[in-house]
Amino acid sequence: MKSVIVAALVGSAAAFAPSTQGPVTTALNAAKGGASLKYVPCISTDDLPAPGSATSGVAGGLAICIAVDSKGAVYALGDKCPPVNQPLSFGKVGDDGTIADPVLGTKFSLKTGEVVDWCPTGLGKLVGGIFDPVGVPTYPVKAKGKTVEVQVDVNYKANFEAEYWSGVLDAQGKANGKYY
């Protein structure tokens, strides 16, 4: 009986021993590519907002807030403002070089995306007190013809999604994310 118990313990321990086998890979694993910064179209110059306001656009699969300050300078920032991911494009552009979150009142610098004033409103103090202040990304922006272009990493979305398993049981259907 002792030998049966010892054999069971040894067999169980072997299941938890380190493996010398290398990592298993399949054709279903997505490979991460390097960053590829390019200027891509975001909005038409006809859609530029009036000075002191902002609008939204998409560049390279990323949600972008295009803001115009009171002097007419154009800025591109990430369109999700922390801590609750409200669209920053709904915010108010101030004369002090900031854009304010429309719900919690957080002010972000148009030039750097850094937090200038974290959640100063009543609701903002309640919600913002739970989270650390975090800025928003900024992007270089230029006009080309009748288009406003924003420089983004065109591989960002694919690299982000490469962290997720994709295969036979993919919720989208096929391994490449397309529907059948």
Side-chain angles (χ1 to χ4, degrees):
M1 184 65 176
K2 287 183 182 179
S3 60
V4 171
I5 293 173
V6 169
L9 287 174
V10 169
S12 298
F16 297 103
S19 173
T20 58
Q21 179 182 3
V24 177
T25 61
T26 70
L28 298 176
N29 291 343
K32 280 184 118 178
S36 178
L37 295 175
K38 294 183 181 174
Y39 278 95
V40 294
C42 185
I43 64 170
S44 166
T45 54
D46 295 335
D47 295 332
L48 272 172
S53 57
T55 190
S56 62
V58 176
L62 300 174
I64 304 291
C65 168
I66 302 292
V68 180
D69 70 7
S70 59
K71 297 174 186 166
V74 179
Y75 299 91
L77 303 98
D79 199 25
K80 303 290 183 197
C81 51
V84 293
N85 287 335
Q86 281 294 113
L88 191 57
S89 55
F90 292 165
K92 177 160 177 26
V93 178
D95 291 334
D96 57 353
T98 63
I99 184 167
D101 174 348
V103 175
L104 303 177
T106 299
K107 287 186 176 183
F108 301 95
S109 168
L110 289 171
K111 292 181 181 178
T112 65
E114 295 296 317
V115 174
V116 174
D117 191 11
W118 181 251
C119 298
T121 64
L123 179 61
K125 289 179 181 178
L126 180 67
V127 174
I130 301 170
F131 302 95
D132 291 329
V134 178
V136 293
T138 58
Y139 305 97
V141 62
K142 70 178 184 178
K144 184 177 182 184
K146 295 201 98 3
T147 305
V148 175
E149 293 187 343
V150 177
Q151 185 184 42
V152 297
D153 178 4
V154 294
N155 292 340
Y156 181 83
K157 185 176 178 187
N159 287 339
F160 178 79
E161 291 173 351
E163 297 295 323
Y164 295 97
W165 182 79
S166 172
V168 177
L169 300 178
D170 187 325
Q172 295 291 318
K174 294 197 263 182
N176 64 3
K178 303 290 184 192
Y179 292 102
Y180 287 99

